[in-house]
Amino acid sequence: MTPRTTPASIPLPADLASPLPGRGALPPRAHLRSDAPRQVLDGTWQVRLRPSPRHVADDGWQQADARLDPADWSPVAVPGHLPLQGHGSPIYANVAYPFPVDPPFPPDDNPVADHRLELVASPEVLAHPSVLRFEGVDGAATVWLNGVELGTLRGSRLTTELACTGVLRPGTNVLAVRLAQWSAHSYLEDQDMWWMPGIFRSVTLLARPHGAVRDVFVHAGYDHRDGSGTLRVDVELEDGAEAPATISVPALGLHEVATGVDHHVPSVAPWTAETPVLHDARVRTPTETVDLRIGFRTVAVEDATLLLNGTPLLLKGVNRHEHDPHRGRVVDLAAARAELLLMKQHHINAVRTSHYPPQADFLDLADELGFYVILENDLETHGFVLVDWRGNPSDDARWLPAYQDRMRRTVERDKNHPSVLMWSLGNEAGTGANLDAIARWTRDRDPDRLVHYEGDARSRHVDVYSRMYASVPEVEAIATEPPAETFTDPDEQHRRRLPFVLCEYAHAMGNGPGGLSEYQDLFHRYPRLAGGFIWEWVEHALAGGTTDDGRPVQLYGGDFGERVHDGSFVVDGLVHADRTPGPALADLARVFSPVSLRLAPDLSTLTVVNRYHSLDLSHLEAVWTTDGDGPAAGTAITLPEVPAGTSAVVPLRLPPSALAATVTVLLRRRTAGDGCAAGHEVAWIQHIPDRPVGALEAGRVAPRRTGDGLVQLGPASFDERTGMPVGLGALALHDVAVSLWRAPTENDRGVAWEEPGLPSVADRWAAARLDDLRTRLVEVAEDGPAFVVRTRTGPPVLDAGVDVTWRWTSDGTSLALDLTLVPYGSWPCDWGRAGIDLRLAAPTTRVRWTGWGPGPQYPDTGQGARYGSFVADRDDYAVRTVRPQEHGARRVDDATVELGARALRVRGAGLPLTVRPWSRAVVAATRHDHELPAATETWISVDAAVGGVGTASCGPGVLPEYRLTPSTRQLHVILTQVDPVV
Ligand code: IPT
């Protein structure tokens, strides 16, 4: 029998497997604001999908006269991501490649989207040579205009310009873009984010008149010794045109002066994030005018210290991805501006554009509003770590042109922005000659900025020593390393001369990050530490519509059926995906405050430390208030001059009665500015007097057996069989029990970096069955007016537990509990908390409390919480996160949990109080917030102590001083059934 031959398979377009850069692109250049005609092509395009390049139809679809089957095509928004418009689905993977690691080959399962736009070019554009500019196309594309191939696009978050002169014509033109999700370049784009193909940034047709400005490179340095500036503007003209360009900066008295030469400006206001002074400038040729905004500043490293304009610079930064819950990496400029203003209001002064250049206009905002930017290349090959870095493109010469191309396009586009202080070679791309080469190129091309890359532990080719998630002790060790001369290895010597930056730290996932203050204290103490960038600014949850009862659905990895995914690790930001702040943002604002305050214990003085880089404090007014004062009130405190970087001790003349009150000292803005309203609080500190621990009124009532199995103690009744209270006034109390567990936070579920290979805290709790404590009643007794119950509570399997004494007393109105927990046996783990739980059969409506607020507090969080009186609705009190977990504890002195017509009052001294509609078991077992059952009851916990949260979801665990080690714990709490305040 003759074997049947299979037809030759359709070959893959060879260039999808090519490590080379795209074909046909014009040399990269700056995005310029020009008066040359342009036409934005964003809007509704047509698209058709095929599952693989082997299935594409070559039916001449790129031509104007193509005969297309309308059934094949559907409208698609540009800019947009295809999977968010019904074409395919998003994939979230952090490190792992969701395809075989077989470089440079993409998998055959490789959705291909043919995009088509019919357009009529304006006569103004048609009057000149023209280019097509793509600012961001996620995936690998080939572009045709009227059937003529203009080139290919690689580098998803980078601009490509393709010449179209002579192809663009009057009348209808057809622009065709064939976009494959996967290509060789996918290996270079392994950032921790959603894989989502699509033309996700603008497409523009640009007229390029003969003799127009091809590119501009502004060099504007500031000399802090004499306050002068030096300006040189290098200009390149289109097609090597002869006519010279001129530059004007009217505010500096420069009118039509020469480009390419240094202009000395005897006196200039420097640009800083605090004083973002920009000078309008104009580059002119006979055929084009380009407008620029120039900021004079000099960034340098001296003595292992990062300097801006000669003064040490502290970066108080965040890592910012571009994300919108509905549109993915399509973020309009108004939203980006709102994000930056929110950062300003929380004293964030720096952004690392993790892990790719953002939309170009973002840098205009950073210049204008004042942010220090680490501008990162679109490059990450992290997935190779899972195959021991075998085949990593960073060290394979075949990929060198792609590395060079990406770095060039990064630098060239954004090189005129004063906000950009450092170029970052990329993220998590291992080490290798290609990275070394682009570091050298970058330094050569732009000697006025610093080169950053975290991935090379030896820091050979960079200007800052950068690490991620180093622990507090390690950062301190780095800050205090012996001098460079003591190292024999030249690389070590070089590294020791560099300032230190944490390019990522304090992983803001779920409840956390814990431990911000300890890092900041180090940053303030050691000049080598130039600060860091919180991971991360915004959560990347995707909107998934609403539940039947109208609750928003937020989705993360695995929710789209992905087989390779990293779950909720994509939801780890200070602000939620819709950019509403999580509670950590308020804590961060306090920790990042540019002014530190200290009150003398006797309130005689206030110490004011000005941590601004260059501002004095004249824009701030200081006032003090005592409890009861309205927010606008306050008695003025006269501040002396406190120049940047100095401190002052200010005498406070408070009345002696102040010592017995809560005194709040505030520094707030006199006028609006810097993204903040007038009155915006920049710094505060409190004196909180000793408070009574909460006591019953005089006169105890005695416990009384009622004969029906109950013991009555004032308003409370107890079940004789268990010794536990079952009622308090009109409230039935259920499930009263001692508890040592919390519903694991995502930080509890992570393995602390300092303990690799050891189980997570949550796993230790699970192994110890901390969530399954069983209680044996030991004794029920009466001790004078006290009803005393002794229980032994512990997990099954183990011989460890706690001996518990419940001592109940009452004055006839309220019920006091003195609880003592004494651990016995050998405990295999720390506790999550130590306290009591109880359940009420109706849902909470509101919680009012006097204590710390408004945000939650754990031992290593809550820096933004202050002492006062607060009210929160059920959800705000519970603090809901995309993935349910323990959250929401506030330290209260006096709280009222309202349940419609009834309320439970809880009094004690700074007791952690948690209130939510679900048991911890339900919280721990639920993967998404919207899957939590509707609120029908209330679970309350009052604790003697709670454990810290740390950042082990990615980084170090809880610092030793914030762990809750098994030891004797005592709780004093007074419970009263009251009527809610109307
Ligand atoms: C590190 C990444 O750089 C960042 O993109 C993100 O993944 C972050 O951590 C965690 O959310 S990678 C990590 C394995 C150190």
Side-chain angles (χ1 to χ4, degrees):
M1 227 169 81
T2 349
R4 270 202 332 164
T5 52
T6 42
S9 62
I10 300 175
L12 281 175
D15 60 3
L16 283 185
S18 167
L20 293 176
R23 278 193 309 276
L26 293 164
R29 64 189 189 110
H31 274 221
L32 297 172
R33 222 173 338 200
S34 141
D35 66 349
R38 64 176 61 198
Q39 196 174 338
V40 178
L41 304 183
D42 299 349
T44 304
W45 295 31
Q46 297 295 315
V47 72
R48 71 175 173 191
L49 269 288
R50 292 287 182 267
S52 160
R54 298 189 196 277
H55 290 76
V56 295
D58 277 316
D59 53 359
W61 65 284
Q62 303 97 327
Q63 312 281 348
D65 57 0
R67 280 216 307 255
L68 304 173
D69 178 357
D72 245 9
W73 294 82
S74 55
V76 69
V78 170
H81 291 280
L82 295 163
L84 300 182
Q85 301 184 67
H87 304 295
S89 53
I91 300 171
Y92 166 57
N94 172 14
V95 177
Y97 289 108
F99 46 80
V101 181
D102 180 22
F105 300 100
D108 277 8
D109 286 338
N110 185 3
V112 175
D114 290 341
H115 293 72
R116 203 169 186 278
L117 176 73
E118 297 195 354
L119 67 112
V120 177
S122 70
E124 295 77 21
V125 168
L126 279 167
H128 303 281
S130 53
V131 306
L132 253 175
R133 181 169 82 184
F134 292 87
E135 296 185 33
V137 178
D138 210 309
T142 306
V143 178
W144 296 264
L145 185 63
N146 300 325
V148 177
E149 187 189 304
L150 299 182
T152 61
L153 309 179
R154 300 290 184 272
S156 296
R157 272 69 61 172
L158 298 168
T159 290
T160 306
E161 288 185 336
L162 302 170
C164 55
T165 315
V167 186
L168 188 71
R169 60 191 182 207
T172 301
N173 292 268
V174 170
L175 176 58
V177 179
R178 172 164 283 174
L179 175 64
Q181 173 159 23
W182 309 114
S183 72
H185 284 253
S186 303
Y187 290 97
L188 307 185
E189 298 181 356
D190 192 28
Q191 291 95 336
D192 176 15
M193 60 191 196
W194 295 100
W195 295 93
M196 286 189 295
I199 302 175
F200 76 101
R201 289 188 190 149
S202 287
V203 183
T204 316
L205 205 43
L206 303 172
R208 303 304 309 129
H210 291 293
V213 177
R214 199 197 80 79
D215 198 12
V216 174
F217 196 168
V218 174
H219 306 267
Y222 177 75
D223 187 338
H224 65 279
R225 290 161 306 185
D226 61 3
S228 70
T230 305
L231 176 66
R232 189 181 86 241
V233 181
D234 295 331
V235 175
E236 228 184 280
L237 301 183
E238 294 286 0
D239 36 68
E242 292 296 313
T246 59
I247 168 108
S248 301
V249 192
L252 300 178
L254 299 174
H255 299 286
E256 310 262 312
V257 299
T259 61
V261 295
D262 283 351
H263 297 281
H264 184 72
V265 185
S267 169
V268 72
W271 184 95
T272 73
E274 296 162 9
T275 57
V277 180
L278 296 173
H279 302 272
D280 289 326
R282 186 158 271 196
V283 174
R284 205 194 287 275
T285 77
T287 54
E288 189 180 29
T289 301
V290 163
D291 286 328
L292 300 164
R293 305 189 81 189
I294 293 176
F296 289 82
R297 92 276 175 283
T298 294
V299 56
V301 168
E302 258 172 49
D303 214 6
T305 305
L306 178 64
L307 301 177
L308 180 75
N309 304 331
T311 301
L313 178 62
L314 186 57
L315 301 168
K316 296 184 286 189
V318 292
N319 282 278
R320 176 180 179 270
H321 268 277
E322 293 182 312
H323 184 74
D324 176 277
H326 301 278
R327 301 176 74 202
R329 286 184 284 278
V330 183
V331 175
D332 62 50
L333 212 56
R337 177 182 281 273
E339 284 180 60
L340 289 175
L341 291 175
L342 193 58
M343 290 182 198
K344 278 267 156 188
Q345 289 151 16
H346 294 84
H347 311 309
I348 292 163
N349 72 1
V351 172
R352 174 178 179 229
T353 69
S354 54
H355 297 301
Y356 43 84
Q359 57 178 327
D361 297 342
F362 177 84
L363 283 314
D364 292 327
L365 294 176
D367 293 346
E368 174 201 324
L369 301 172
F371 283 90
Y372 306 116
V373 174
I374 297 187
L375 201 292
E376 195 146 88
N377 185 14
D378 188 10
L379 178 73
E380 174 160 342
T381 66
H382 205 169
F384 284 90
V385 71
L386 302 178
V387 295
D388 292 328
W389 293 108
R390 285 186 300 277
N392 182 16
S394 296
D395 205 24
D396 177 338
R398 288 180 300 165
W399 297 84
L400 176 62
Y403 277 61
Q404 289 169 320
D405 174 66
R406 283 170 183 259
M407 196 71 219
R408 253 184 101 190
R409 288 157 73 192
T410 297
V411 170
E412 298 299 350
R413 194 194 75 171
D414 295 333
K415 59 186 178 288
N416 295 322
H417 292 283
S419 54
V420 177
L421 301 190
M422 302 187 202
W423 300 113
S424 177
L425 306 182
N427 182 57
E428 299 272 19
T431 55
N434 297 341
L435 289 162
D436 305 350
I438 62 174
R440 281 194 299 274
W441 177 86
T442 304
R443 192 168 295 109
D444 200 45
R445 174 65 179 145
D446 185 7
D448 298 336
R449 290 190 176 90
L450 306 179
V451 173
H452 169 273
Y453 176 61
E454 181 273 346
D456 178 3
R458 293 168 68 81
S459 305
R460 275 170 308 166
H461 302 282
V462 294
D463 303 315
V464 289
Y465 176 23
S466 175
R467 291 277 304 279
M468 45 174 79
Y469 308 106
S471 66
V472 164
E474 195 184 0
V475 172
E476 180 150 35
I478 291 166
T480 55
E481 268 187 304
E485 302 71 58
T486 59
F487 292 89
T488 47
D489 177 345
D491 288 348
E492 288 289 282
Q493 283 192 2
H494 169 70
R495 189 185 48 71
R496 178 60 187 91
R497 296 201 166 97
L498 305 180
F500 181 75
V501 164
L502 276 168
C503 68
E504 296 179 20
Y505 77 111
H507 199 248
M509 188 177 189
N511 184 353
L516 287 169
S517 306
E518 287 69 16
Y519 283 106
Q520 201 67 23
D521 289 347
L522 294 181
F523 300 161
H524 290 160
R525 199 166 328 138
Y526 298 108
R528 188 184 189 191
L529 306 182
F533 297 79
I534 306 285
W535 188 270
E536 69 178 311
W537 170 244
V538 62
E539 298 180 338
H540 310 212
L542 288 171
T546 51
T547 56
D548 292 343
D549 56 352
R551 279 173 301 147
V553 173
Q554 298 200 67
L555 301 174
Y556 53 75
D559 291 337
F560 298 91
E562 310 105 289
R563 301 279 294 272
V564 176
H565 70 82
D566 286 290
S568 60
F569 208 59
V570 77
V571 183
D572 52 359
L574 295 165
V575 301
H576 301 303
D578 64 3
R579 300 183 196 87
T580 54
L585 192 60
D587 291 346
L588 187 71
R590 181 91 191 289
V591 173
F592 274 4
S593 172
V595 185
S596 303
L597 302 175
R598 245 186 341 265
L599 276 173
D602 63 357
L603 296 182
S604 58
T605 59
L606 170 73
T607 305
V608 181
V609 185
N610 178 355
R611 301 190 190 280
Y612 280 110
H613 173 269
S614 34
L615 289 182
D616 62 22
L617 302 184
S618 52
H619 63 294
L620 302 177
E621 63 175 4
V623 296
W624 63 270
T625 65
T626 56
D627 32 20
D629 291 349
T635 309
I637 301 168
T638 312
L639 288 186
E641 254 185 59
V642 192
T646 70
S647 60
V649 179
V650 185
L652 281 184
R653 293 176 225 289
L654 308 191
S657 61
L659 268 176
T662 300
V663 176
T664 306
V665 174
L666 293 173
L667 264 62
R668 57 193 185 199
R669 290 194 65 94
R670 292 179 191 280
T671 56
D674 208 23
C676 304
H680 184 86
E681 291 175 8
V682 169
W684 57 269
I685 191 157
Q686 285 189 309
H687 157 80
I688 301 161
D690 290 338
R691 292 119 42 229
V693 293
L696 294 175
E697 305 294 314
R700 300 288 176 275
V701 298
R704 172 168 70 78
R705 276 162 221 271
T706 57
D708 52 359
L710 294 177
V711 175
Q712 200 69 40
L713 179 65
S717 44
F718 292 78
D719 184 334
E720 258 186 315
R721 294 162 303 184
T722 60
M724 291 299 123
V726 292
L728 180 64
L731 283 174
L733 306 180
H734 305 274
D735 302 324
V736 178
V738 154
S739 167
L740 303 171
W741 186 62
R742 68 181 180 205
T745 65
E746 281 159 308
N747 285 316
D748 293 332
R749 292 180 195 272
V751 174
W753 278 27
E754 67 274 27
E755 297 187 332
L758 293 181
S760 70
V761 165
D763 284 346
R764 290 172 209 206
W765 292 340
R769 296 179 159 82
L770 204 62
D771 60 332
D772 187 18
L773 303 185
R774 316 290 174 89
T775 289
R776 175 168 64 83
L777 179 62
V778 177
E779 186 187 27
V780 173
E782 281 163 43
D783 178 10
F787 178 57
V788 181
V789 178
R790 286 183 223 287
T791 58
R792 189 159 242 230
T793 295
V797 184
L798 297 184
D799 60 358
V802 282
D803 285 313
V804 187
T805 305
W806 310 69
R807 188 182 170 83
W808 301 95
T809 47
S810 173
D811 56 5
T813 308
S814 297
L815 180 67
L817 168 64
D818 286 285
L819 182 86
T820 309
L821 304 173
V822 182
Y824 68 84
S826 128
W827 266 96
C829 61
D830 291 343
W831 296 340
R833 26 180 291 278
I836 58 162
D837 291 345
L838 61 91
R839 178 171 64 86
L840 304 174
T844 304
T845 41
R846 285 194 297 208
V847 183
R848 298 173 172 279
W849 74 102
T850 297
W852 281 263
Q857 309 114 41
Y858 289 81
D860 51 356
T861 69
Q863 297 90 334
R866 68 172 75 158
Y867 193 83
S869 293
F870 305 92
V871 54
D873 70 18
R874 178 174 62 224
D875 286 343
D876 282 345
Y877 197 89
V879 182
R880 304 183 72 149
T881 46
V882 173
R883 180 171 179 170
Q885 58 198 283
E886 187 80 27
H887 216 328
R890 269 71 164 193
R891 290 174 52 219
V892 306
D893 284 354
D894 188 350
T896 306
V897 181
E898 298 180 0
L899 316 118
R902 309 221 186 292
L904 177 67
R905 184 169 176 202
V906 179
R907 282 178 290 157
L911 297 178
L913 173 74
T914 310
V915 180
R916 62 166 84 84
W918 317 281
S919 70
R920 287 196 164 75
V922 166
V923 171
T926 307
R927 290 187 63 246
H928 294 87
D929 182 75
H930 69 267
E931 292 160 357
L932 286 166
T936 56
E937 51 188 26
T938 295
W939 288 81
I940 296 178
S941 300
V942 185
D943 291 322
V946 298
V949 295
T951 59
S953 57
C954 183
V958 180
L959 287 166
E961 57 269 37
Y962 302 129
R963 293 188 187 147
L964 194 61
T965 47
S967 62
T968 297
R969 305 279 167 179
Q970 281 176 318
L971 171 66
H972 171 73
V973 59
I974 296 176
L975 304 174
T976 319
Q977 187 250 300
V978 294
D979 292 331
V981 181
V982 194

